Amino acid sequence: MHITLALALGPRQALEWSASVPQGCDVGMVLSQLPWRLHVDEQLASKLQVSVWGRAAQADTALRDGDRIELTRALKVDPKVARRERFNAQGKRTAGLFSRRQR
């Protein structure tokens, strides 16, 4: 099986590794085989979230050929809150559906 591991270190900073692993491999086995820990300190490694194609995964999650394992940092701001704050800062007349003038 061909598996890809992506590690998001920061905004616009991503590393990727590709590996061929035996059939029936799980997420934990792939994480132990690839050298991603060389690029992060122990504190950050404990906070990373694991997902397969953007869906949360555990170490015992079975993998299929072509899967992409993603190690991502936790969100600092809820996207809904960030959007609401941007909308309030721009003003309701200059953002989104309200930017067009009604005649």
Side-chain angles (χ1 to χ4, degrees), residues 12-78:
R12 296 174 186 79
Q13 296 177 346
L15 299 173
E16 261 189 29
W17 293 270
S18 294
S20 293
V21 296
Q23 194 72 19
C25 217
D26 62 20
V27 171
M29 291 178 191
V30 173
L31 292 178
S32 66
Q33 290 177 2
L34 294 175
W36 65 274
R37 286 195 180 267
L38 299 174
H39 300 279
V40 296
D41 60 354
E42 214 40 53
Q43 183 181 11
L44 177 60
S46 65
K47 293 180 183 179
L48 291 175
Q49 298 174 348
V50 180
S51 60
V52 176
W53 289 113
R55 296 190 182 261
Q58 303 297 322
D60 61 348
T61 302
L63 296 171
R64 296 182 291 182
D65 188 35
D67 274 349
R68 174 185 169 99
I69 301 171
E70 300 162 348
L71 298 174
T72 56
R73 297 166 291 117
L75 294 175
K76 291 183 179 180
V77 178
D78 180 17

